[in-house]
Amino acid sequence: MTLAELIAQARTALQTAITARQQEQDALVALRSEENLTEDQVRAAVERRDAADAEVTRRQEALAELEAEQAREEELAQLQARTVPAATRAPAYDQVHRVGQEERTYRPDLDRRGAMFERDVAAAFLGDYEARDRLARHMAEERTERGDQLQRAAGTGAFAGLVVPQYLTALYAPAAQANRPFADAIRHHDLPAQGMQVNISRVTTGSEVDNQAAENTEVAEQDMDDTNLPIPVQTAAGQQTLSRQSIERGAGVESVVLDDLFRRYNTNLDAKLLNQATTGLTNVATAVTYTDADPTAAELYPRVIEGLAGVEETLLDMASGDNLAVMHSRRWYWMQNALTDKWPVLSQPGIVAQTLGANYATSYGRGVRGILPNGTPVIVDNNVATNLGAGTNQDEVYLVDRQECHLWEDPDAPMYIRAEQAKASSLGVLMVVYGYFAYTHQRYAHARKVTGTGLVTPTFTGV
């Protein structure tokens, strides 16, 4: 790999790191605007932002080192050109007399594919002065031998082998992913270092307190009992085998593949939290049915409030009040399209009574997108399924207490394995991304979901 290619790869990695850092900063700003924040939430967000910031610094320093190395190489090349003895220095092409035919700068018999010429074109674009000199000599040779032809008004199409296309690798378009909006919004824990299962004790039979019937009589007593909640530690992983040629002769191929694997890892984890059989949110939430052949946003809202009431009814004094509404982007925009002359009877702090909530105008995946009329924050997550119900065209709206949706992740997840020996016989490099995680929404069976025919594919009619 050339120094220029390394610099291009470093620039791509720096841009990726800058984007990740900006996402963490935006998430922190959005988090600080929420009510009922805990210090742990803010501290965790700051740590993620600082880690992303440190990665930017590291990538920046790596790029600066490569650019300094390139500048030094160019400086030495210029110095060498100035210090070659006069007796051995090659005279300029147009400053000597020639007899016969001089050897061409680019000889077809030695380089039939024109690879030397193409490398010089690319190197000259990156500032290589020696490459520019060789190209200038080549053009002087062309004018000497084919001057009458070069004066004609030929376009670039006449020089398909000379007009070299440029590939804007820094602007490559990654495959779009739903990523992990819900996973980033719920309560996080560090996954224990050992074991493939974590357990939580749930008190299912509590003690009893009652008035004493009379003095010196037995007071109420009830033996407490608990039930174990086992939570499996799951392994998410993906792999990609690259040829050595693609890594060593491509521009930033390895970093592009890694970025895609990491983003697909995050999307898979978030989708499992919502949709996994038995334990996913859709399978543990209690249904609040909204059946309507002509649904409207104003009719959906009371079902949302019903679901939130069920969350608090289950949690009682364990309710944190830090509730979330989780929905697909199509449902969020459908709710925004509604127009009505009605508004809630009770006003809420910081919310205009005549509106059906507020949109924060933040982009997808950057935390809370807005609030409902009662102040409940909304997380928009396109891992929410849209093929539910008899017509396979329904989505769901989930209502949860943020503090009772638990996610355990390894602090270093996802991890990365780069194995060269395993595929050495075929000149392949195996890249594997993996991580361990565990989750539960069932410490208390509190979650609710609004579901039914009122949540079919929305039509944007203003109601």
Side-chain angles (χ1 to χ4, degrees):
M1 184 175 293
T2 66
L3 188 57
E5 291 171 337
L6 289 173
I7 291 175
Q9 184 174 342
R11 285 174 178 159
T12 300
L14 175 59
Q15 185 59 45
T16 301
I18 291 172
T19 301
R21 192 267 182 198
Q22 187 58 48
Q23 290 176 347
E24 295 297 344
Q25 176 64 17
D26 292 344
L28 176 60
V29 171
L31 180 65
R32 284 173 170 161
S33 66
E34 299 176 18
E35 298 180 359
N36 301 319
L37 280 178
T38 65
E39 292 184 3
D40 289 342
Q41 288 177 285
V42 176
R43 186 183 304 107
V46 170
E47 289 175 354
R48 289 195 298 271
R49 191 274 314 277
D50 291 346
D53 201 40
E55 179 65 10
V56 170
T57 301
R58 188 176 73 81
R59 295 292 187 183
Q60 187 178 11
E61 291 174 350
L63 176 59
E65 289 180 4
L66 290 173
E67 289 177 335
E69 184 178 342
Q70 183 186 47
R72 181 57 177 165
E73 291 297 319
E74 294 174 357
E75 181 181 356
L76 290 175
Q78 295 178 34
L79 181 61
Q80 184 181 30
R82 291 197 302 268
T83 56
V84 172
T88 60
R89 183 183 301 173
Y93 181 85
D94 57 352
Q95 294 180 354
V96 295
H97 295 285
R98 294 174 173 80
V99 177
Q101 184 175 8
E102 186 182 22
E103 184 174 288
R104 294 293 300 265
T105 303
Y106 303 105
R107 292 176 52 185
D109 58 324
L110 297 179
D111 185 24
R112 287 187 294 178
R113 296 180 180 272
M116 293 175 60
F117 173 77
E118 291 183 358
R119 281 199 297 270
D120 279 350
V121 171
F125 181 79
L126 296 172
D128 188 326
Y129 292 96
E130 291 186 358
R132 291 178 182 177
D133 291 341
R134 287 192 293 271
L135 290 171
R137 288 200 301 271
H138 171 67
M139 290 307 300
E141 294 164 0
E142 289 295 293
R143 280 192 292 269
T144 299
E145 296 189 7
R146 300 192 297 120
D148 57 333
Q149 299 177 37
L150 294 179
Q151 296 301 317
R152 298 180 64 184
T156 58
F159 305 101
L162 302 180
V163 181
V164 183
Q166 300 297 305
Y167 292 89
L168 306 179
T169 56
L171 293 178
Y172 83 96
Q177 296 293 315
N179 226 296
R180 47 178 292 163
F182 179 58
D184 287 337
I186 61 178
R187 188 173 176 181
H188 285 78
H189 312 274
D190 286 346
L191 187 68
Q194 296 178 328
M196 291 303 291
Q197 181 172 291
V198 294
N199 296 304
I200 293 179
S201 171
R202 294 186 297 177
V203 176
T204 51
T205 302
S207 56
E208 182 179 351
V209 173
D210 201 352
N211 293 346
Q212 188 178 24
E215 295 181 12
N216 294 319
T217 61
E218 291 292 328
V219 299
E221 180 181 11
Q222 172 65 54
D223 293 338
M224 291 181 62
D225 191 17
D226 76 336
T227 300
N228 186 50
L229 174 62
I231 305 166
V233 175
Q234 304 184 59
T235 305
Q239 64 177 327
Q240 189 74 240
T241 301
L242 302 179
S243 69
R244 273 203 169 277
Q245 292 87 339
S246 67
I247 294 176
E248 295 177 357
R249 301 191 64 81
V253 171
E254 190 168 0
S255 61
V256 169
V257 171
L258 270 181
D259 176 68
D260 185 69
L261 283 170
F262 286 152
R263 292 166 66 248
R264 288 182 182 273
Y265 173 92
N266 291 333
T267 301
N268 170 77
L269 184 147
D270 191 87
K272 292 298 187 292
L273 295 178
L274 292 170
N275 306 313
Q276 190 169 25
T278 307
T279 56
L281 189 55
T282 185
N283 293 305
V284 301
T286 302
V288 175
T289 303
Y290 172 38
T291 302
D292 197 326
D294 188 20
T296 67
E299 293 172 345
L300 170 63
Y301 180 62
R303 303 286 80 77
V304 171
I305 296 300
E306 181 182 347
L308 289 169
V311 170
E312 187 165 307
E313 182 180 4
T314 300
L315 292 173
L316 298 176
D317 66 332
M318 296 307 298
S320 70
D322 190 9
N323 296 329
L324 286 177
V326 184
M327 63 185 71
H328 194 276
S329 63
R330 74 180 194 179
R331 192 58 52 196
W332 174 238
Y333 282 101
W334 177 71
M335 293 185 71
Q336 292 181 60
N337 107 107
L339 302 172
T340 180
D341 57 355
K342 300 179 177 62
W343 51 85
V345 175
L346 299 178
S347 64
Q348 303 291 336
I351 301 177
V352 179
Q354 290 89 341
T355 62
L356 195 64
N359 176 32
Y360 286 167
T362 57
S363 60
Y364 180 87
R366 295 192 177 181
V368 174
R369 298 292 296 277
I371 53 176
L372 298 178
N374 70 328
T376 300
V378 175
I379 296 294
V380 173
D381 192 330
N382 279 15
N383 284 308
V384 173
T386 58
N387 61 346
L388 305 176
T392 64
N393 61 346
Q394 299 175 19
D395 54 72
E396 295 175 335
V397 177
Y398 302 108
L399 296 313
V400 297
D401 186 312
R402 186 202 305 254
Q403 300 304 319
E404 287 304 329
C405 293
H406 299 268
L407 172 62
W408 289 265
E409 290 188 274
D410 190 302
D412 297 324
M415 276 74 79
Y416 164 46
I417 297 174
R418 188 181 193 273
E420 300 185 11
Q421 297 303 320
K423 300 290 184 178
S425 62
S426 59
L427 287 182
V429 177
L430 177 62
M431 302 169 66
V432 180
V433 168
Y434 74 99
Y436 306 117
F437 70 97
Y439 72 91
T440 185
H441 313 298
Q442 295 175 276
R443 199 170 80 119
Y444 296 97
H446 74 289
R448 297 294 188 272
K449 65 177 181 181
V450 182
T451 184
T453 57
L455 293 171
V456 297
T457 303
T459 56
F460 295 87
T461 58
V463 294

